[in-house]
């Protein structure tokens, strides 16, 4: 088919275009030793959000029932 290239060629030409226009990619990684720290922080945030949602629901139900 005309105008249809292989995906690898399309990706290579796109990344070439990006670099010609000054776009750069920066990647940073966290060390594996911090995995459980991040997991506990995320879990705490979700537990807090769940508690706030539960409290708001109880408050809203009691307010409507009155």
């Amino acid at each position: 088919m005309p105008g249809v290239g292989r995906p690898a060629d399309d990706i290579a030409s796109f990344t070439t275009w990006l670099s010609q226009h000054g776009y750069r990619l920066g990647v940073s990684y966290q060390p594996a030793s911090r995995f459980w720290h991040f997991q506990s922080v995320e879990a705490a945030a979700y537990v807090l959000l769940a508690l706030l949602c539960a409290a708001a629901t109880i408050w809203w139900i009691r307010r409507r029932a009155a």
Side-chain angles (χ1 to χ4, degrees), residues 2 5 9-10 14 20 24 26-28 33 36-38 40 45 47-49 56-57 60 62-63:
D9 293 339
D10 293 342
F14 181 65
Q20 289 172 348
R24 301 288 183 259
V27 178
S28 65
S33 62
W36 288 112
H37 172 71
F38 284 124
S40 61
V47 167
L48 179 62
L49 179 63
T57 300
W60 187 55
R62 286 186 178 176
R63 182 173 170 255

Side-chain angles (χ1 to χ4, degrees), residues 3-65:
V4 177
R6 294 187 336 216
D9 293 339
D10 293 342
I11 292 172
S13 64
F14 181 65
T15 54
T16 302
W17 182 88
L18 285 174
S19 65
Q20 289 172 348
H21 288 84
Y23 290 98
R24 301 288 183 259
L25 175 64
V27 178
S28 65
Y29 295 96
Q30 294 295 328
S33 62
R34 298 185 68 188
F35 175 79
W36 288 112
H37 172 71
F38 284 124
Q39 289 293 307
S40 61
V41 168
E42 185 178 9
Y46 282 123
V47 167
L48 179 62
L49 179 63
L51 290 173
L52 287 173
C53 287
T57 300
I58 292 170
W59 170 80
W60 187 55
I61 289 171
R62 286 186 178 176
R63 182 173 170 255
R64 288 181 53 107

